[in-house]
Amino acid sequence: MLHFGLSLLAFINRIKHKEHPLAVLYFHRVINEPSLFCPDDITSANFEVLLTKLNKYFKIFSLSQALALIEQGKLPPKALVLSFDDGYADNFDNALPVFEKLGIKASFFIATKGTEQGYLWNDELAESLKNTMATQFGLFDQSFVLNTEQEKANAYLYLVNKIKFLANQERDEVLNAIYKKIGRFEPARCMMTAQQLNKIAKLGHDVGAHTHSHSILAMQKLKVAKQEVIGSVEYLTDILGEAPSLFAYPNGWFGRDFKVEHQHVLNELGIQYGVATNDGGITSKTSLTALPRFMPHRKEFNQFCLSILKIAGE
Ligand SMILES: [Zn+2]
């Protein structure tokens, strides 16, 4: 029944676009256990179940493989790419073994300050909130209560969602102001190492750039935005021995999180492809520096699969 529904949707998409649109999903972490601090991330057990099923109904490629097929006019129906943002070590520990087992290639986008330092600013905020002895603090005209794990997680999710939209300098000032109130706790490494990135690249997975310190480009002065892109590209070039051709815009919403001027930055730097987080599928007519990606909200498997082709056909 699902096969039939997917084939029908693929047929409709083909009529509408005169070619098969490519669906690209985005993930972040593949966590060991459910966590209040990562409510949207998939657990490793669920991930293996999901991938095993997706592999039956879709043809899964890395982004570079799929883009080459689009260029040659050879992308098959129900083509799917799985992409992973930020560069968390759990991708290596929990997702990579599943890919190897199923013979799947995937695409990883790395915020390189995480590789270098071991964690990103949001991980440090999470660690500080988890370990603080403070029971409350005030910021942004708001008071945060920190008695329980749930309250700490609520404060974390609220603050990350505010702070990520700040310019780098302001972001760091606000974080320092928070650490003055609650104390600063350095997290253990939670990001992939340079060696691990090298290994996934050698296995044939894509390793693309995702800025250095995970900055939303449109919130920065253009000069800073450019430095963020260059920083991640140079770092990856250094450790992988060749320049990445793929880039993912942090947060990724075209028109809000990145703009035409940032597409021009990619062109100037010779980065061929930029992926966004706007709904839709990729065809030969899609702008190469604003390629859509999405993640369906529906959790039930059949509905999840049908949503993939519906959104790819938009
Ligand atoms: Zn990201």
Side-chain angles (χ1 to χ4, degrees), residues 69-140:
L69 289 170
I70 291 175
E71 219 163 279
Q72 298 157 17
K74 286 183 183 161
L75 190 79
K78 295 177 241 175
L80 181 66
V81 167
L82 308 171
S83 67
F84 295 78
D85 284 7
D86 301 346
Y88 281 95
D90 54 33
N91 295 179
F92 188 90
D93 297 331
N94 299 335
L96 190 64
V98 182
F99 296 142
E100 292 307 301
K101 189 166 138 187
L102 299 175
I104 289 171
K105 300 298 174 207
S107 303
F108 300 87
F109 293 98
I110 313 300
T112 47
K113 189 170 183 184
T115 321
E116 193 176 72
Q117 180 180 248
Y119 57 87
L120 289 171
W121 65 264
N122 55 293
D123 304 309
E124 187 173 42
L125 179 60
E127 190 68 14
S128 300
L129 284 165
K130 282 176 190 170
N131 289 293
T132 185
M133 299 302 282
T135 53
Q136 71 89 44
F137 74 102
L139 190 83
F140 296 137

Side-chain angles (χ1 to χ4, degrees), residues 129 134-139 142-146 155 159 178 181-182:
L129 284 165
T135 53
Q136 71 89 44
F137 74 102
L139 190 83
Q142 185 107 13
S143 179
F144 299 94
V145 182
L146 306 174
L159 288 167
I178 294 174
K181 294 171 197 257
I182 68 167

Side-chain angles (χ1 to χ4, degrees), residues 28 85-86 210 214 249-251:
H28 289 89
D85 284 7
D86 301 346
H210 190 44
H214 204 272
Y249 303 95
N251 231 43

